[in-house]
Amino acid sequence: GAVVSQHPSWVICKSGTSVKIECRSLDFQATTMFWYRQFPKQSLMLMATSNEGSKATYEQGVEKDKFLINHASLTLSTLTVTSAHPEDSSFYICSAKGLLSYNEQFFGPGTRLTVL
Amino acid sequence: AQKITQTQPGMFVQEKEAVTLDCTYDTSDQSYGLFWYKQPSSGEMIFLIYQGSYDEQNATEGRYSLNFQKARKSANLVISASQLGDSAMYFCAMRDQAGTALIFGKGTTLSVSS
């Protein structure tokens, strides 16, 4: 199957700093990328959908000014958590969907963010 | 609005036994897709099996099969001959008619013992 990478795999930062998480499709062009958030032992909650070259669509309750998403190319989307606080500590997972992959989404390995 | 319900927070099974993980869904769409994913402690999401709403036969992938009952809106996952490596969290998910994001259930933690 197609490969999606995330970087970094884990990050620890101080409260008030910003953190950028990258999601890359390595062997296919991702027309759409999705960002999910998962708290321990809970489900994946969709945060936003991003299409290459256009603004991300955020789910209700997700602050777009806090979680900045950029999908500048067909292989890269970034999620920036601005002015991070301890409550932003979570597991962030991206998934990518190619033009021809109607059924399949390919998940990255996730990024564990800890804000001190 | 779409909804996925997994009512079993945890399931326990012995090696080599079969286990069924329940999933019910709610949607007003006629065309939709149902997915099962496995998430081990490492956090990666592993795709297991897919069932389209128009598929007449139940999907099977190796030891995994999906018991699709459209009228009951259920899509249970059956794992045959459980292995220790099957211990993980399992998520049922749905894709809507627009073919966009997956909506996930709360998950079921499966523990396989020897």
Side-chain angles (χ1 to χ4, degrees):
Chain A
V3 179
V4 175
S5 70
Q6 273 184 250
H7 178 80
S9 54
W10 58 271
V11 57
I12 302 172
C13 69
K14 290 183 179 179
S15 187
T17 60
S18 295
V19 175
K20 181 186 281 189
I21 301 170
E22 292 185 348
C23 177
R24 292 182 185 272
S25 57
L26 299 184
D27 52 2
F28 70 103
Q29 293 185 326
T31 51
T32 306
M33 285 186 172
F34 308 95
W35 286 95
Y36 294 87
R37 180 176 183 176
Q38 185 182 29
F39 291 109
K41 300 197 182 298
Q42 293 190 25
S43 184
L44 281 74
M45 300 302 296
L46 179 67
M47 297 176 68
T49 300
S50 73
N51 293 297
E52 185 265 339
S54 60
K55 287 185 179 180
T57 302
Y58 290 82
E59 294 300 299
Q60 194 172 11
V62 177
E63 299 175 58
K64 61 181 180 182
D65 294 330
K66 181 168 185 63
F67 298 99
L68 301 178
I69 291 172
N70 184 281
H71 192 165
S73 77
L74 284 171
T75 59
L76 174 64
S77 176
T78 59
L79 167 67
T80 301
V81 183
T82 62
S83 187
H85 290 285
E87 57 266 29
D88 298 324
S89 298
S90 189
F91 192 57
Y92 292 88
I93 308 176
C94 73
S95 70
K97 180 175 173 297
L99 188 61
L100 300 178
S101 57
Y102 184 69
N103 287 334
E104 285 191 273
Q105 290 184 20
F106 304 99
F107 283 86
T111 297
R112 197 164 301 280
L113 169 64
T114 302
V115 185
L116 301 177
Chain B
Q2 296 183 320
K3 189 177 179 182
I4 294 281
T5 302
Q6 293 180 254
T7 57
Q8 306 155 313
M11 288 288 284
F12 296 87
V13 68
Q14 286 207 314
E15 255 187 311
K16 301 180 185 178
E17 290 185 350
V19 63
T20 298
L21 306 183
D22 294 342
C23 173
T24 57
Y25 61 92
D26 191 19
T27 181
S28 56
D29 291 338
Q30 296 301 310
S31 175
Y32 50 88
L34 296 157
F35 300 75
W36 277 93
Y37 284 85
K38 172 184 177 181
Q39 187 181 43
S41 57
S42 60
E44 62 182 313
M45 296 293 286
I46 301 170
F47 167 75
L48 297 178
I49 198 165
Y50 166 81
Q51 179 86 40
S53 58
Y54 291 120
D55 294 340
E56 294 187 353
Q57 296 208 334
N58 287 341
T60 60
E61 289 286 349
R63 294 186 299 112
Y64 304 107
S65 60
L66 199 152
N67 185 0
F68 182 45
Q69 297 190 37
K70 196 169 181 178
R72 293 186 178 184
K73 293 189 175 179
S74 75
N76 298 339
L77 176 70
V78 180
I79 304 175
S80 62
S82 297
Q83 302 172 354
L84 294 178
D86 293 336
S87 294
M89 197 147 183
Y90 288 79
F91 290 99
C92 180
M94 170 185 282
R95 166 188 55 74
D96 67 12
Q97 193 164 12
T100 54
L102 294 177
I103 306 300
F104 287 85
K106 290 187 175 182
T108 296
T109 300
L110 176 66
S111 300
V112 182
S113 59
S114 56

